[in-house]
Amino acid sequence: MQIIRKRAIVEDDFVHIEDGAELPSGGKIIVTLARYLVEKDSLLAAFTLGVRIQSDKLPKDIPELHRLALVAIEFPRFTDGRGYSIAKLLRQREKFTGEIRAVGWVLRDNLLFMERCGVDAFEVQPGKPLESAVQAFAELEVPYQATVQDPRPLYRRR
């Protein structure tokens, strides 16, 4: 499967593992927060690990966050903006330096705004062209608002 990572189309090197599914012998995996909470020590010892969280969870709900390579934030609906806040909290308050990935209802129109909140990888909705989605990053050159990348609003940057 291909994803967008740091504004480029790349092959996904992580595999999503559902609850109850058998684990591979090694590699990079993404598990649900529920599975991570139960099997945390064995997962961290055996894998490069990512955790998928729902939009009603907060960074404080993820133990040993600093040991994760990736946090995948689920966007369940177009109108659910809680994932933006989670990404911003991960980057600014928790100083998370790993990959933050948007999964679920991820559309071209949202990518630039997700990136401004700290998301750096995107699993775009199936069937949507990735080449067109990448072009969304160039549509607005100068944001007025503060972003995770530059916390100064435009009037402070002048």
Side-chain angles (χ1 to χ4, degrees):
M1 176 172 112
Q2 291 186 317
I3 63 168
I4 298 172
R5 179 181 288 140
K6 298 190 189 272
R7 295 186 173 204
I9 299 170
V10 298
E11 287 297 322
D12 189 5
D13 50 352
F14 278 84
V15 177
H16 286 274
I17 306 293
E18 297 301 321
D19 289 346
E22 187 175 327
L23 294 170
S25 58
K28 297 179 175 185
I29 63 169
I30 300 172
V31 297
T32 64
L33 179 59
R35 186 166 190 169
Y36 174 69
L37 293 173
V38 172
E39 303 175 38
K40 175 177 48 110
D41 294 329
S42 61
L43 291 170
L44 287 168
F47 300 98
T48 301
L49 189 60
V51 171
R52 181 178 179 139
I53 63 171
Q54 295 177 338
S55 61
D56 63 345
K57 300 297 179 192
L58 293 172
K60 67 180 177 85
D61 298 325
I62 309 169
E64 298 191 53
L65 175 65
H66 66 282
R67 295 183 64 192
L68 297 174
L70 177 150
V71 174
I73 302 170
E74 191 171 321
F75 287 80
R77 291 178 305 283
F78 177 76
T79 57
D80 189 341
R82 294 175 292 178
Y84 294 92
S85 299
I86 295 167
K88 191 169 182 180
L89 288 170
L90 283 167
R91 289 286 186 229
Q92 291 183 329
R93 187 178 295 167
E94 303 298 329
K95 307 295 187 220
F96 183 69
T97 58
E99 180 176 301
I100 298 178
R101 182 182 295 194
V103 299
W105 196 270
V106 180
L107 300 172
R108 179 187 193 282
D109 294 348
N110 304 90
L111 298 183
L112 184 60
F113 302 106
M114 289 176 176
E115 182 186 56
R116 288 181 184 174
C117 293
V119 177
D120 54 4
F122 310 87
E123 290 182 20
V124 178
Q125 283 284 302
K128 302 294 182 185
L130 292 177
E131 295 78 12
S132 171
V134 170
Q135 294 172 358
F137 294 110
E139 288 180 348
L140 297 173
E141 295 177 17
V142 180
Y144 181 81
Q145 304 88 353
T147 67
V148 169
Q149 296 85 2
D150 189 350
R152 301 169 302 153
L154 181 61
Y155 70 91
R156 292 278 186 220
R157 286 180 263 152
R158 292 190 60 162

